[in-house]
Each structure stands twice: as structure tokens, then as C-alpha cells.
């Protein structure tokens, strides 16, 4: 049967099992919206800004193992989506974004709402397509889903001109895809895996450094088995949190700029470092020169060869899918008669535990007068049993959420690490809540970040999304203020948020419940009340200490051992 | 170090800009870049001359391989290879200089493609070094126009870059 390009587009989404399509209509996608209207398999979620559509699709993908899908119109619809696409790109999130384009005959004429979508998004997508022939829509969408999900995941854009979505052709959905220039690695090299196993067994001061790749490849079980089998200390990056259970005694906390003292010291002093789906980000290892000063053997497992040896030299590179590589590594280790040297391991753990004491762990001075942001997160953890989905925005509140909400499961901690996009938290929470209707979804945000996509409270109303928003309102762009305090002589240039709205009224205006909490004693009761309202979105405006800083902190450009601990100041 | 990287990619709109964009976005050097379709019209062959530390060249190779449109990549400078560049030169050729220019062109095995009262248009192929030395030999004063294609490269013997 002949179908229009628009109908084909929607049929493809059905074939891919897409539940939700996050989008916003406009001229160039009218055919597609018309096709959407005439079916009920793919549910469309109408956001209030295209950036939010992409973040919602992103949150949906991060909290599941599915591809997030968004639909935007040409021109401003596409440009609004770019921040969301770049956010997904930097954190390797599988996503397909469909954008409308002006008709093929108008392309290049500066037509109404024309932008070069493929050109603008090229640096922040895994791949993109401009579909010029209706016959190519089905195969292109098939490829887009395949590319988004396979190998190192990432966003893929499919740009469809309006005339193409209006034309008709026979619908055939390809059963499989073959892209001759694209062959993501599956299994790792067995010889390298055995070499890695040997190094690990002979290590005296081993360290496991696991990142977002563990979450993306759903390999937490394998990672956990590996760490427990060997008895090594394990740290997670910001993106890897939940990949290894935080309540395990072998967990030394997050590493990096705001990581624990013990994690960073163990990173610096280990003799064998096993990097698993982590990419030696500058916020993680600080200054590369300092990092390289301490000799050690590095084993690096990643599906993307370009992640390996990008910033640090690697001794044993293993390119492959983590799940397969870790499974094989476990087999080799289990089959080996050798075990890690018990005496060496005991000595190493003694050292790590000493660092735990010297570093003083994560701590802050609670107060009965003023709400400490860390206390809010601890209370959130307590009341949700550590089992909530927690999305966050970007800033100090994000770091406190990462530090104090102890994630025991993967895909529960949803934040923008690579791009650090303020405005991510609330729309991402919408995607998470849609994917997990009965679950508790908390959005930890700041009074700065929330205002970057606050209009989504309206979307939450329309679709009855009972998200719990915890705004740690310190009256400052706190993370900026912190840097200005430390590195710019307390000159708080434009980091004070003046003229803040009454957030309770804002929440109410959108039809939700708003709460303002000023006293530490009210934190727990308020939160209990909020969480008991299973069907309501509750916006909690916590007035927190505006001078609180995030510790520990490794200043930018410094080595991991040059950490500033809470008590130093 | 100077490297000459050869790649096969899908002959599709936008493929070239992905490669060019990669180099500018990541701050890699491009000395020259040539591209044209191969005997298989669905494939283009590109030669990129670049330079950088070993670590940078390794990343360039990996990043190029990562582009979905790129089918295969070979760093020609890692082994025996041949490198050729085509140059078209328009020279001021007047009076006694005409004879001398013709002689130099012969020595360098170039060809005079076009002659006018005042000019010669010369074609020369060879390595970058050869073309550079021809320019030096002529002297810049006589050069009216220079058109160089940038290097194209191919492996020697059994070094073959194929699908
Ligand atoms: C305000 C702020 C502060 C920050 N502070 C810190 C900090 O203190 N500590 C910290 O850790 N981060 C911090 N970050 C985050 C930081 O910027 C990076 O985003 C993060 O460290 C990167 O995490 P990752 O190395 O796990 O890599 P990710 O970006 O999660 O990359 C995942 C890696 O896994 C690989 N991979 C994907 N799928 C597979 C598969 N199937 N098989 C094998 N490999 C796979 C990918 O190729 C990639 O190399 C901060 C961010 C912000 C905004
Ligand atoms: C879109 C965007 N603009 C600017 C920044 C830079 N930035 C990082 S953190 C931050 C402050 C965030 O303030 P708030 O949301 O109140 O969080 P707080 O740090 O106070 O907890 C800013 C401006 C950013 N990350 N994203
Ligand atoms: Mg703030």
C-alpha cells in the first residue's frame, strides 16, 4: 500500500516500539503531526520548548535501555533542540531526533524557517541524515535507530523536508541494517583480556575506575562480580554512579574534582588502574601532567577506540562491548588458580582506609538554624530508601546530589555530566516519570537552573506527572559563586540571583503544589508530606545556606592530590 | 611529523564536510586535502596531509574511522608509498627568459600546456619537494599564478586500501 512520507515516519516509530514521542509542532512537520493524529500507538508528549523535548527523550533513554525520540520543526524548532542534542551527545545517550525541513525545492534559498540542520548539528551528533527522497525514509530511520543504539551510543538526527513527508511511496520496513562503513566492536581481543587479567592478579595496589559506559551497556552486574571477585577498591565517575552499589564496602565514592579524598588518592597511588567505560575526563583526573607523574599500568576497556589513549597513555587497550569483555574477563579470572596477593591487598586496603580517615569522608556541619543543602539530600535518601530516580540540573546542588544520594542501582541517577546543561533536570524527569509511572522521581535543582526550563511545569500538568521538585534555593548561581570565592577574590560578578519569583506561587499558577521550607526542622516533615502526595507534582523551595560550598574540591588544572578539603577553609 | 592519510568514504553529500569539520573542530592541522570519486562511483578517495605528534596522529586516525561515512583509513606514511601532486603554473615568459623557462621545464619533466606572447602555462607533477624546488628554480618574480592540487597518495606493492 502507498503511504505518505509522514505516515511512513510514524510507522517506522511503531516498528521500533517507540512508546513516547516528545515534540512540538510547526509548519515543516505538519504532515507528520497529521499522521500522528491518525494513530494511537505512538503517544506524543507536547512539551513547551523543543530543548525540553530532547531532554525528556534523553531522560527516558537514560532511565531505560531504550532509544529516546523527539520531533521538532525546522528553523527555530531545530535550533532550540540543539542544546538537548549536544547534551545527549556528550553523555553518549541513544536518541533519534526527527526534524522537519523546508521543501527540497526551497533548500538553500534562505526560505522561511530554513536552517542547515545537518550542518548545525554535525559536531554534536553521532550521525545525521537529510532525506531527499520519500523512498529513503524507512531505511534511513532504521539506520538511525541502529546507529543511535549500537556501539558507543549517541544522538542521530533525521531531517525530513516537508515535500518528502507529503509524497507517497510503498512502505517497506527493512528487517536488518547493514552499513558497510560501520562495524562497532563486539568482543574484545582475548589475548589482551588475558594480559589484563594477569596484570590485575599481580597488582599490589589495584584500582577500578568505572564510568558511564557501565550504565550505558547495562554491565553493572558484571562489574560488581568483578570487583567482588578481586576484592579491589572501586570508584565511579559522575556518570557511572549506581554502576557499582554505593553501599558496598569496596566502594570508595565518586572520584574527580568533587570526588572523595580516598578515591582520588587511590587513583594517584595505584599500580594497576583498570578503567572501565570511563574516558579520563578533565574533571576526573585533573591535570594530565600530574596524573602521568605516578607510574602505573593502565588497562582501558572501551567500545570507542578514540576514548582510549586520548588523554593518558594506556598499557593494555581493550576495544569492545563492556558486557562481553567483562564476561570474558570474569571467566579468565575464575579459571585462574592465581588469586590477588592477600598480604598486599590487606596493606593496600589499610592505606585506602587511612585515606578515608584523613580525608574525613564526605561531611558538612549541619545546623539547626539554616538548611544545609547536603541535609536535604540526605533526607531525600532516607525517605526514598535510596531507590528513587533522581534527576538533577547543573551546579552545586548537582554535586551534593551525586555525593549524598548513595545510588545502589544503575539508571537511577540522571544528570548532564559532559555538557553540564542547566535546564536539564525537570524535562529529563518528565521522560523518566513517563517511563516509570509508579516510581518516585525527584528532580534536584537550583533556583537558577529550574528557571531555564520552568515552563515544563505546564507539560507536567497536562500529562499528570507527579514529579517531586527539590529546589535547593541558595539565592546564587552557587557553583559560579564558589569559583568566584576561591579564585576571583570574592568578586561575585553576576552570580547573585536577584528578583527571584515566589516559586510557591509559580508552582500553583501551573496547577501544582508549592511548598516553601525555611527551617531545618521542617525539611523532613515537608518532604514526607510531598512524597505522600503520589499523584501530585510538588515543588519544594528549600531556602538553603547561600554560603555553603562543595567539598572536597580539586581546583581546575591541578593534580588529583591537590585537593581542598572542607576543613582547610 | 608530517603524515599522509588516505581514506575511502561514501560518495555522499556532506561526507567531505564531516571530515573537514572534524579537523577544524578538534584543532588538527590540514596541509592539504584532495578528494574525488573512485572507479566505484559510490566511493570517494581522499588524501589528507597533516602533521602532529604521534598521539595526535593516533587520534586523527581513530576519529576518522569513527565517522560513519568513512569506510577505511590508512596512514600511508607508516609504510612504503608514492605521493604525487599536480601543479599548474602561469609564468611571465618574455624575451630571453622564454628559452630558460622551457629548459627548466624539461629538466623537471614538466609540460608547457599553453603559450601566449607573454606567458607560459606549465604542468608539473611530482612530490611536494620536487614542486617546491621547481618554484625555487624559476624564482617567484616570474610566477603569475600557482594552482596546486595537494598530494594524492597510494601504497606501494601490496599495500592496498580497499572496501
Ligand atoms: C559541575 C560539574 C562537575 C563535575 N564534576 C565531576 C567530578 O567531580 N567527577 C566526575 O567523575 N565527573 C564530574 N563531572 C562530569 C564530567 O564532566 C564528565 O561528564 C564525566 O566525568 C564523564 O564520565 P565518564 O568518564 O564515565 O564518561 P562518559 O561520558 O559516561 O562516557 C562513557 C564511556 O563509556 C564508553 N562506552 C559506552 N558504551 C559502551 C559499551 N557498550 N562498552 C564499552 N564502553 C562503552 C564510551 O565510549 C565512553 O568512553 C562534572 C560535571 C559537571 C557539570
Ligand atoms: C546553560 C548553562 N549556562 C551556564 C552554565 C554555567 N553554570 C554552571 S553551574 C551554574 C550555576 C547554577 O545555579 P543554580 O541552578 O542556582 O545551582 P547552584 O549552583 O546554586 O546549586 C552556572 C551558571 C551552565 N552550566 N549551563
Ligand atoms: Mg542556586
Amino acid at each position: 500500500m502507498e503511504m505518505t512520507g509522514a505516515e511512513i515516519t510514524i510507522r517506522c516509530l511503531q516498528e521500533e516500539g517507540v512508546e513516547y514521542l516528545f515534540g512540538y509542532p510547526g509548519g515543516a512537520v505538519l504532515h507528520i503531526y497529521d499522521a500522528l493524529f491518525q494513530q494511537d500507538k505512538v503517544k506524543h508528549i507536547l512539551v513547551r520548548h523543543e530543548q525540553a523535548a530532547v531532554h525528556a527523550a534523553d531522560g527516558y533513554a537514560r532511565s531505560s535501555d531504550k532509544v529516546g525520540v523527539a520531533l521538532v520543526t525546522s528553523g527555530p524548532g531545530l535550533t532550540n533542540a540543539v542544546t538537548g542534542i549536544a547534551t545527549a551527545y556528550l553523555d553518549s545517550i541513544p536518541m533519534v531526533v526527527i526534524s522537519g525541513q523546508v521543501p527540497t525545492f526551497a533548500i538553500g534559498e534562505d526560505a522561511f524557517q530554513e536552517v542547515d540542520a545537518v550542518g548545525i548539528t554535525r559536531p554534536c551528533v553521532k550521525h545525521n541524515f537529510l532525506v531527499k527522497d520519500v523512498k529513503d525514509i524507512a531505511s534511513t530511520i532504521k539506520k538511525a535507530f541502529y546507529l543511535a543504539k549500537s556501539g558507543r551510543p549517541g544522538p542521530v538526527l533525521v531531517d525530513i523536508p516537508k515535500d518528502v513527508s507529503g509524497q507517497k511511496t510503498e512502505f517497506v520496513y527493512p528487517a536488518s541494517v547493514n552499513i558497510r562503513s560501520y562495524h562497532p566492536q563486539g568482543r574484545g581481543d582475548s589475548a589482551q583480556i588475558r594480559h589484563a587479567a594477569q596484570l590485575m592478579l599481580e597488582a599490589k595496589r589495584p584500582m577500578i575506575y568505572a564510568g558511564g559506559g557501565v550504565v550505558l551497556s547495562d554491565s553493572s552486574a558484571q562489574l560488581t562480580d568483578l570487583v567482588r571477585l578481586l576484592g579491589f577498591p572501586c570508584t565511579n565517575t559522575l556518570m557511572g554512579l549506581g554502576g557499582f552499589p554505593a553501599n558496598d564496602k569496596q566502594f570508595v565514592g565518586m572520584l574527580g574534582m568533587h570526588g572523595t579524598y580516598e578515591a582520588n588518592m587511590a587513583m594517584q597511588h595505584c599500580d594497576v588502574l583498570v578503567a572501565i567505560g570511563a574516558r579520563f575526563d578533565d574533571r576526573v583526573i585533573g591535570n594530565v601532567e600530574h596524573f602521568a607523574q605516578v607510574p602505573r599500568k593502565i588497562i582501558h576497556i572501551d567500545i570507542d577506540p578514540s576514548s582510549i589513549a586520548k588523554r593518558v597513555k594506556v598499557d593494555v587497550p581493550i576495544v569492545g562491548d563492556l558486557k562481553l569483555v567483562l564476561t570474558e574477563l570474569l571467566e579468565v579470572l575464575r579459571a585462574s588458580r592465581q588469586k590477588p596477593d592477600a598480604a598486599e591487598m590487606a596493606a593496600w586496603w589499610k592505606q585506602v582506609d587511612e585515606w578515608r580517615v584523613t580525608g574525613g569522608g564526605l561531611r558538612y556541619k549541619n545546623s539547626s538554624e539554616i538548611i544545609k543543602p547536603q541535609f536535604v539530600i540526605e533526607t531525600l535518601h532516607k525517605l526514598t530508601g535510596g531507590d528513587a530516580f533522581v534527576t538533577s540540573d547543573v551546579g552545586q546542588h548537582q554535586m551534593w546530589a551525586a555525593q549524598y544520594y548513595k545510588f545502589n542501582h544503575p539508571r537511577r541517577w540522571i544528570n548532564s555530566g559532559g555538557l553540564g546543561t542547566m535546564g536539564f533536570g525537570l524535562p529529563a524527569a518528565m521522560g523518566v516519570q513517563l517511563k516509570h509511572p509508579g516510581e518516585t522521581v525527584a528532580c534536584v535543582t537550583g533556583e537558577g537552573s529550574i528557571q531555564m526550563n520552568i515552563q515544563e511545569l505546564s507539560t507536567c500538568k497536562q500529562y499528570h506527572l507527579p514529579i517531586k521538585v527539590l529546589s535547593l534555593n541558595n539565592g546564587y548561581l552557587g557553583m559560579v559563586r564558589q569559583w568566584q570565592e576561591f579564585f576571583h577574590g570574592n568578586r561575585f560578578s553576576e552570580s547573585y540571583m536577584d528578583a527571584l519569583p515566589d516559586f510557591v506561587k509559580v508552582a500553583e499558577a501551573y496547577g501544582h503544589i508549592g511548598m516553601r521550607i525555611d527551617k531545618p526542622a521542617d525539611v523532613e516533615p515537608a518532604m514526607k508530606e510531598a512524597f505522600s502526595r503520589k499523584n501530585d507534582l510538588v515543588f519544594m523551595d528549600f531556602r538553603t545556606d547561600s554560603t555553603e560550598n562543595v567539598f572536597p574540591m580539586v581546583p581546575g588544572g591541578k593534580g588529583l592530590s591537590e585537593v581542598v578539603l572542607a576543613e582547610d577553609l | 611529523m608530517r603524515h599522509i592519510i588516505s581514506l575511502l568514504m561514501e560518495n555522499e553529500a556532506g561526507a567531505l564536510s564531516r571530515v573537514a569539520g572534524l579537523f577544524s573542530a578538534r584543532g588538527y592541522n590540514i596541509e592539504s586535502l584532495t578528494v574525488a570519486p573512485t572507479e566505484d562511483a559510490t566511493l570517494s578517495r581522499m588524501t589528507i596531509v597533516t602533521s602532529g605528534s604521534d598521539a595526535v596522529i593516533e587520534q586523527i586516525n581513530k576519529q576518522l574511522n569513527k565517522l560513519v561515512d568513512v569506510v577505511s583509513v590508512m596512514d600511508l606514511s607508516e609504510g612504503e608509498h608514492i605521493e604525487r601532486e599536480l601543479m599548474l603554473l602561469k609564468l611571465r615568459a618574455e624575451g630571453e627568459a622564454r628559452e630558460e623557462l622551457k629548459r627548466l621545464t624539461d629538466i623537471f619533466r614538466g609540460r608547457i600546456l599553453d603559450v601566449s606572447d607573454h606567458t607560459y602555462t606549465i604542468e608539473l607533477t611530482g612530490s611536494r619537494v620536487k614542486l617546491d624546488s621547481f618554484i625555487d628554480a624559476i624564482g617567484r618574480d616570474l610566477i603569475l599564478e600557482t594552482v596546486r592540487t595537494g598530494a594524492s597518495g597510494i601504497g606501494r606493492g601490496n599495500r592496498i586500501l580497499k572496501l
Side-chain angles (χ1 to χ4, degrees):
Chain A
M1 200 190 66
E2 293 231 308
M3 289 166 66
T4 65
E7 287 162 349
I8 290 174
T9 303
I10 299 302
R11 261 301 285 282
C12 293
L13 300 186
Q14 294 174 354
E15 297 282 336
E16 289 294 331
V18 174
E19 289 178 279
Y20 291 106
L21 176 59
F22 302 89
Y24 206 88
V29 284
L30 278 175
H31 293 309
I32 301 179
Y33 272 87
D34 198 37
L36 255 178
F37 190 84
Q38 301 179 47
Q39 56 89 55
D40 53 13
K41 277 199 188 143
V42 177
K43 294 184 238 18
H44 182 268
I45 303 295
L46 178 67
V47 294
R48 303 302 186 254
H49 186 294
E50 288 88 349
Q51 181 187 347
V54 182
H55 288 331
D58 183 324
Y60 176 93
R62 287 183 204 236
S63 68
S64 62
D65 58 354
K66 300 192 72 178
V67 176
V69 191
L71 171 62
V72 299
T73 192
S74 69
L78 182 279
T79 53
N80 272 350
V82 169
T83 302
I85 297 173
T87 302
Y89 180 69
L90 277 177
D91 290 341
S92 306
I93 305 305
M95 177 186 291
V96 171
V97 177
I98 296 173
S99 54
Q101 182 55 279
V102 302
T104 43
F105 51 81
I107 288 179
E109 295 184 346
D110 299 323
F112 176 62
Q113 299 197 322
E114 176 182 4
V115 294
D116 174 8
V118 163
I120 283 183
T121 57
R122 188 184 307 116
C124 60
V125 292
K126 181 166 172 184
H127 198 59
N128 56 20
F129 301 92
L130 168 64
V131 188
K132 286 191 182 146
D133 186 334
V134 65
K135 291 193 198 72
D136 295 335
I137 290 186
S139 60
T140 306
I141 294 182
K142 180 84 188 175
K143 278 185 199 163
F145 274 86
Y146 170 61
L147 286 170
K149 188 75 187 137
S150 59
R152 179 177 185 168
V156 178
L157 178 92
V158 181
D159 197 33
I160 308 181
K162 186 167 184 180
D163 54 336
V164 175
S165 61
Q167 285 151 8
K168 287 192 164 182
T169 190
E170 206 65 37
F171 173 70
V172 198
Y173 202 56
S176 62
V177 210
N178 176 25
I179 303 175
R180 64 177 171 183
S181 55
Y182 176 76
H183 308 282
Q185 190 89 19
R187 299 177 51 132
D189 183 272
S190 295
Q192 290 289 67
I193 292 177
R194 283 196 302 277
H195 184 185
Q198 199 51 40
L199 272 180
M200 290 161 85
L201 289 170
E202 284 161 10
K204 298 189 169 75
R205 299 185 309 280
M207 174 71 168
I208 295 198
Y209 149 55
V214 173
V215 178
L216 293 164
S217 63
D218 290 307
S219 307
S220 300
Q222 287 78 3
L223 173 70
T224 308
D225 283 357
L226 180 78
V227 175
R228 290 193 180 143
L229 178 71
L230 292 165
F232 294 174
C234 176
T235 181
N236 275 154
T237 65
L238 180 72
M239 301 315 292
L241 292 176
F244 186 77
N247 63 7
D248 192 294
K249 58 184 188 316
Q250 283 170 255
F251 188 60
V252 292
M254 181 172 86
L255 82 167
M257 181 176 275
H258 295 297
T260 65
Y261 184 70
E262 53 271 28
N264 285 337
M265 291 302 276
M267 268 309 262
Q268 281 300 68
H269 296 276
C270 61
D271 70 342
V272 172
L273 177 63
V274 191
I276 305 181
R279 54 186 176 85
F280 291 91
D281 187 82
D282 49 302
R283 291 233 156 168
V284 171
I285 59 165
N287 188 322
V288 182
E289 312 279 293
H290 287 246
F291 192 72
Q293 268 170 18
V294 193
R296 81 203 70 177
K297 292 274 184 237
I298 299 183
I299 299 163
H300 194 175
I301 314 173
D302 203 291
I303 200 159
D304 179 357
S306 75
S307 279
I308 298 179
K310 181 169 66 177
R311 300 193 69 235
V312 300
K313 278 183 83 173
V314 168
D315 302 280
V316 187
I318 303 176
V319 179
D321 179 47
L322 273 186
K323 201 173 219 141
L324 300 175
V325 173
L326 291 181
T327 305
E328 188 171 340
L329 185 59
L330 276 164
E331 280 164 15
V332 174
L333 288 167
R334 285 193 179 119
S336 167
R337 263 193 252 124
Q338 204 178 336
K339 297 279 164 270
D341 186 307
E344 296 285 5
M345 289 306 293
W348 175 229
W349 269 112
K350 188 163 166 277
Q351 171 67 78
V352 172
D353 288 334
E354 269 168 32
W355 283 324
R356 278 183 171 156
V357 177
T358 353
L362 288 173
R363 74 205 131 93
Y364 65 98
K365 216 160 146 210
N366 211 349
S367 151
S368 55
E369 301 298 313
I370 185 158
I371 300 178
K372 293 288 180 175
Q374 301 93 328
F375 174 61
V376 178
I377 306 293
E378 282 185 333
T379 310
L380 173 66
H381 182 264
K382 185 171 134 192
L383 295 186
T384 55
D387 259 347
F389 287 87
V390 179
T391 75
S392 109
D393 266 300
V394 173
Q396 292 181 314
H397 61 273
Q398 176 189 23
M399 292 300 112
W400 287 316
Q403 292 177 333
Y404 289 90
Y405 197 96
K406 311 287 180 189
F407 293 90
N408 292 323
H409 304 288
R411 299 195 180 278
R412 299 274 162 146
W413 166 237
I414 313 283
N415 82 133
S416 163
L419 197 65
T421 310
M422 289 172 68
F424 175 79
L426 180 59
M430 303 190 313
V432 177
Q433 187 77 76
L434 282 160
K435 182 68 206 157
H436 307 274
E439 307 269 351
T440 302
V441 180
C443 165
V444 174
T445 183
E447 81 297 338
S449 295
I450 191 67
Q451 291 189 80
M452 287 216 177
N453 266 323
I454 200 158
Q455 77 287 345
E456 295 309 313
L457 286 173
S458 173
T459 312
C460 294
K461 185 68 191 170
Q462 180 172 349
Y463 299 98
H464 313 290
L465 304 177
I467 296 161
K468 304 298 177 280
V469 179
L470 289 85
S471 178
L472 305 184
N473 183 348
N474 52 7
Y476 275 98
L477 301 173
M479 189 53 95
V480 174
R481 193 202 54 79
Q482 175 166 348
W483 283 61
Q484 289 170 334
E485 180 184 325
F486 288 11
F487 312 116
H488 298 277
N490 285 313
R491 288 179 298 279
F492 298 129
S493 178
E494 307 297 326
S495 54
Y496 177 59
M497 270 289 197
D498 212 347
L500 285 173
D502 178 334
F503 286 104
V504 172
K505 282 192 183 153
V506 170
E508 286 171 0
Y510 279 107
H512 302 298
I513 296 167
M515 289 176 163
R516 172 176 166 156
I517 303 105
D518 293 275
K519 298 224 158 47
D522 295 335
V523 169
E524 187 168 331
M527 230 187 269
K528 270 192 178 145
E529 153 88 26
F531 282 106
S532 72
R533 295 182 165 272
K534 293 271 179 247
N535 299 318
D536 297 308
L537 183 151
V538 183
F539 190 114
M540 288 162 266
D541 181 20
F542 292 100
R543 299 306 173 102
T544 60
D545 188 345
S546 60
T547 60
E548 194 66 27
N549 288 321
V550 182
F551 294 112
M553 177 171 191
V554 180
K558 292 284 171 73
L560 278 186
S561 352
E562 297 168 80
V563 55
V564 186
L565 296 168
E567 68 204 357
D568 297 354
L569 287 158
Chain B
M1 242 255 293
R2 179 174 181 270
H3 282 250
I4 173 158
I5 295 173
S6 229
L7 55 97
L8 277 176
M9 59 186 201
E10 297 293 344
N11 183 13
E12 270 172 20
L16 170 61
S17 55
R18 288 183 209 278
V19 174
L22 171 71
F23 275 74
S24 60
R26 295 190 182 263
Y28 304 143
N29 297 317
I30 296 191
E31 186 184 294
S32 69
L33 183 159
T34 68
V35 60
T38 65
E39 82 285 359
D40 172 350
T42 67
L43 287 174
S44 289
R45 170 84 176 229
M46 184 183 274
T47 309
I48 303 168
V49 179
T50 181
S51 58
S53 65
D54 288 351
V56 168
I57 298 296
E58 181 180 334
Q59 268 298 312
I60 291 178
N61 273 295
K62 287 175 170 177
Q63 294 290 347
L64 284 170
N65 262 308
K66 194 168 150 181
L67 293 176
V68 172
D69 283 338
V70 171
V71 181
S72 43
V73 181
M74 187 194 250
D75 186 343
L76 288 177
S77 28
E78 274 177 355
E80 294 277 302
H81 68 281
I82 299 164
E83 187 185 323
R84 286 291 178 274
E85 182 175 357
L86 168 69
M87 176 165 72
L88 299 175
L89 273 181
K90 187 164 290 178
L91 305 176
R92 181 147 22 98
E94 286 161 336
E96 288 158 24
R98 286 176 87 89
E99 224 8 73
E100 174 64 7
L101 288 174
K102 179 159 179 348
R103 207 173 60 81
L104 273 173
T105 306
D106 288 342
I107 292 174
F108 278 84
R109 297 182 199 285
R111 291 203 301 152
I112 299 180
L113 299 180
D114 184 46
V115 176
S116 75
D117 288 353
H118 304 287
T119 65
Y120 278 166
T121 300
I122 291 170
E123 170 196 330
L124 195 67
T125 51
S127 66
R128 179 182 64 159
V129 179
K130 175 178 160 185
L131 302 192
D132 287 347
S133 27
F134 183 67
I135 288 177
D136 289 341
I138 299 278
R140 272 149 228 268
D141 293 351
L142 295 183
I143 300 179
L144 299 171
E145 224 178 318
T146 315
V147 184
R148 294 175 72 153
T149 58
S152 292
I154 194 163
R156 277 192 189 273
N158 288 330
R159 290 189 83 207
I160 295 168
L161 182 64
K162 264 270 194 222
L163 199 66

